[in-house]
Amino acid sequence: MKKVLLEMEDQKNSYEQKAKESLQKVLEEKMSAEQQLQSAQRSLALAEQKCEEWRSQYEALKEDWKSLGTQHRELESQLHVLQSKLQGADSRDLQMNQALRLLENEHQELQAKIEHLQGDRDLYSSDTQHLQEAMWPMALDADGNDCYSTGSVPGQQ
């Protein structure tokens, strides 16, 4: 019986040892799980913080996008106005160029007329000179004096 008691005592010690080891293992697992939980909670808090930052950036970008859209529409409107003004300026430029060509043509015609009239004047002046030279002996005033030699004009005193 003593032997049985000793065996039972050994078994009891063995079970207690195994129970202690199991408890130790469970405690280690529990501590590991708690550490993992704390790590997961920190990761979650960090992820929520990042999420909030991204949400804030998203809202800011959305506002910037809206502002850029408004600016784009305004610039397009200004572009259309400027294109319209440019078309008007091009039209006026075309009209001015046509008017300039007409004026240049008129100038050339007038210049040609001036040259023709100057030629006529020179010709008439030459003819008048020849006539005066031809009439020289006849140019006597009422007293019988030569009016060209005195520089007087016939009929004036």
Side-chain angles (χ1 to χ4, degrees), residues 123-139:
L123 181 64
Y124 292 145
S125 177
S126 174
D127 288 348
T128 303
Q129 182 72 28
H130 290 311
L131 282 173
Q132 283 178 349
E133 288 173 2
M135 292 180 64
W136 181 266
M138 299 180 184

Side-chain angles (χ1 to χ4, degrees), residues 114-129:
I114 288 171
E115 289 173 6
H116 178 69
L117 289 172
Q118 283 176 342
D120 287 350
R121 184 194 66 197
D122 290 346
L123 181 64
Y124 292 145
S125 177
S126 174
D127 288 348
T128 303
Q129 182 72 28

Side-chain angles (χ1 to χ4, degrees), residues 5 10-12 16 31 33 38 49 58-59 78-79 82 86-88 96 98-99 101 106 112 118 125 127 133 141 157:
L5 279 176
D10 281 343
Q11 277 183 341
K12 178 183 158 191
E16 284 179 359
M31 290 191 52
Q38 288 174 355
Q49 182 183 358
Y58 169 76
E59 291 299 324
Q78 290 175 2
L79 176 65
L82 289 174
L86 181 61
Q87 287 174 347
M96 296 297 266
Q98 290 173 345
R101 280 192 292 279
E106 186 178 332
Q118 283 176 342
S125 177
D127 288 348
E133 288 173 2
D141 64 7
Q157 294 284 335

Side-chain angles (χ1 to χ4, degrees), residues 3-4 7 9 15 24 26 33 37 43 49 62 76 81 84 95 97 99 111 114 116 118-119 121 138 141 147:
K3 191 175 174 182
V4 173
E7 280 183 22
E9 187 70 33
Y15 287 138
Q24 184 66 29
V26 167
L37 175 63
S43 294
Q49 182 183 358
K62 198 163 82 171
E76 276 184 332
V81 168
S84 175
Q95 291 172 351
N97 281 334
Q111 195 65 34
I114 288 171
H116 178 69
Q118 283 176 342
R121 184 194 66 197
M138 299 180 184
D141 64 7
C147 67

Side-chain angles (χ1 to χ4, degrees), residues 9-69:
E9 187 70 33
D10 281 343
Q11 277 183 341
K12 178 183 158 191
N13 286 339
S14 174
Y15 287 138
E16 284 179 359
Q17 186 61 31
K18 286 182 183 179
K20 284 181 185 179
E21 288 174 2
S22 292
L23 279 174
Q24 184 66 29
K25 190 174 181 182
V26 167
L27 282 174
E28 288 174 4
E29 287 175 358
K30 179 183 173 190
M31 290 191 52
S32 175
E34 285 177 353
Q35 287 176 348
Q36 287 177 349
L37 175 63
Q38 288 174 355
S39 177
Q41 286 174 336
R42 282 192 302 270
S43 294
L44 176 62
L46 185 61
E48 285 174 342
Q49 182 183 358
K50 286 286 186 188
C51 181
E52 190 56 39
E53 289 174 10
W54 290 348
R55 184 176 291 122
S56 173
Q57 288 178 355
Y58 169 76
E59 291 299 324
L61 287 173
K62 198 163 82 171
E63 286 299 314
D64 288 348
W65 181 257
K66 195 184 294 185
S67 174
L68 286 174

